[in-house]
Amino acid sequence: MGDQVCKEGALLCSNTSALDIDAIASVTRRPGVVMGTHFFSPANVMLLLENVRGAQTTDTTISTCMEWGKKIGKWPILVGNCPGFVGNRMLAQYTTKAMELLDFGIFPHQVDTAIAKFGMKMGPFAMQDLVGLDLGIQALKKKNEWKPQTNIKHAIIESGRLGQKNGKGYYEYDENRKPSPSAAVNDLISRMAAGPKRPFTEAEIIHWAFFPLVNEGFKVLEEGIAQRPGDIDVCYVHGYGYPRVKGGPMHWADTVGLALVRDGLKKMGIAPSALLETCVANKSTLAKYWPKHVKAKLSKL
């Protein structure tokens, strides 16, 4: 359709957060002008713009989209094409690990409180309630991956709790949408928690949620999906509400110590990325290691 409707030279841009940019480019006669321009919601407030380069996107298209992003007041970063791009790919690790805490008998408000104290504007469970817990469940059912008998989130949804939109999700909501911990949800978690129940300190909760996110950031750099650690930090500060005072997740990892991050990942049963292991072996921060040792061949950009 774009080939028939748009004039020659027009850029074909998609605001997708998930579609494959190369797949989009493959059905047009001008793949060089196809680019992802992923705005963050609400777009009139959030400053981040993920400009996603496809395999055939031209340098002219890239420079035009980067300059255009600046002109409209955004903080554009250039990223490669992969599922989730940079921000959502990393966020998936954070959300998954936060959900795993429920299997240890930790309640949603305990996780969200720790993450709010860390500086995030909203914890993962409050965020899911805001978005709607039932988002994507039809796809899970079609794939026969809907398991309310064993999956805590699925059981919560099955009980009729959909989030803020019907006044009950992980939390109970009053008429002003003010949340309070849910005794019903906490009871369900206590009954269904599959892991060994144990308390977590707030520091352990932070490590459990953010160390896997950071590890994915190292992988993003290894694969050339992001150009530099600072781009990932910009992505999280301006797209996900990461506390500015901590500089972004990659900078934060340097400040807490990469050896601590690596060891924490191993305790969770997660293999540290090769780049993370290399930084630890060299007793170097990522900020110092990356500009000295990055190879041009690593980058898809």
Side-chain angles (χ1 to χ4, degrees):
M1 179 65 74
D3 287 330
Q4 287 76 42
V5 173
C6 298
K7 67 179 182 179
E8 285 299 320
L11 302 187
L12 304 179
C13 299
S14 171
N15 182 39
T16 181
S17 61
L19 297 179
D20 185 338
I21 300 302
D22 290 323
I24 295 172
S26 71
V27 295
T28 176
R29 295 192 300 270
R30 34 183 159 165
V33 297
V34 175
M35 190 151 185
T37 50
H38 178 209
F39 290 83
F40 283 68
S41 181
N44 62 317
V45 175
M46 302 305 285
L47 293 175
L48 182 69
L49 173 61
E50 265 186 324
N51 281 330
V52 187
R53 176 181 181 169
Q56 298 184 67
T57 307
T58 67
D59 290 344
T60 299
T61 300
I62 292 169
S63 62
T64 300
C65 286
M66 295 299 284
E67 184 61 29
W68 167 70
K70 294 174 185 177
K71 283 185 177 180
I72 63 173
K74 299 301 182 184
W75 284 67
I77 61 170
L78 180 62
V79 303
N81 182 36
C82 70
F85 311 136
V86 169
N88 284 342
R89 172 177 165 175
M90 292 171 61
L91 188 70
Q93 301 300 317
Y94 164 85
T95 303
T96 298
K97 296 308 288 186
M99 291 297 303
E100 286 183 10
L101 287 167
L102 303 185
D103 274 323
F104 290 99
I106 308 300
F107 298 141
H109 72 275
Q110 293 174 313
V111 177
D112 284 352
T113 296
I115 287 176
K117 287 183 180 179
F118 178 76
M120 296 290 286
K121 291 182 172 64
M122 188 177 290
F125 296 103
M127 178 59 74
Q128 289 181 66
D129 272 358
L130 177 64
V131 172
L133 299 188
D134 56 335
L135 182 67
I137 67 170
Q138 295 307 320
L140 291 174
K141 289 178 179 180
K142 286 180 180 178
K143 293 188 290 184
N144 293 318
E145 294 177 2
W146 181 248
K147 301 177 180 179
Q149 293 78 26
T150 56
N151 184 291
I152 290 173
K153 180 177 180 179
H154 296 179
I156 290 171
I157 298 169
E158 191 81 358
S159 72
R161 307 182 73 91
L162 305 180
Q164 286 192 23
K165 60 185 173 184
N166 76 336
K168 54 184 181 179
Y170 288 109
Y171 295 91
E172 308 287 350
Y173 293 90
D174 65 17
E175 63 276 7
N176 297 314
R177 295 199 173 191
K178 182 179 179 181
S180 59
S182 170
V185 168
N186 292 350
D187 179 64
L188 183 151
I189 290 169
S190 296
R191 287 185 284 107
M192 290 189 66
K197 293 186 176 68
R198 72 171 182 88
F200 275 66
T201 66
E202 290 187 343
E204 285 179 306
I205 289 172
I206 295 303
H207 293 173
W208 190 273
F210 284 108
F211 283 1
L213 180 149
V214 166
N215 194 47
E216 198 67 21
F218 273 88
K219 292 180 181 179
V220 161
L221 289 167
E222 285 175 11
E223 297 168 18
I225 299 299
Q227 289 180 300
R228 57 187 69 85
D231 284 356
I232 297 174
D233 288 338
V234 166
C235 176
Y236 265 81
V237 169
H238 293 298
Y240 294 88
Y242 194 91
R244 184 189 295 258
V245 70
K246 291 184 168 59
M250 309 313 287
H251 177 78
W252 171 74
D254 275 347
T255 63
V256 299
L258 297 185
L260 178 66
V261 175
R262 179 203 58 186
D263 294 345
L265 289 166
K266 288 182 175 179
K267 288 178 182 178
M268 296 178 208
I270 298 173
S273 78
L275 177 59
L276 174 55
E277 290 279 24
T278 299
C279 287
V280 173
N282 283 276
K283 298 181 179 179
S284 175
T285 63
L286 177 61
K288 289 182 178 178
Y289 180 87
W290 186 253
K292 292 179 180 178
H293 299 277
V294 65
K295 304 289 186 182
K297 66 180 181 180
L298 289 176
S299 180
K300 296 177 183 178
L301 301 172

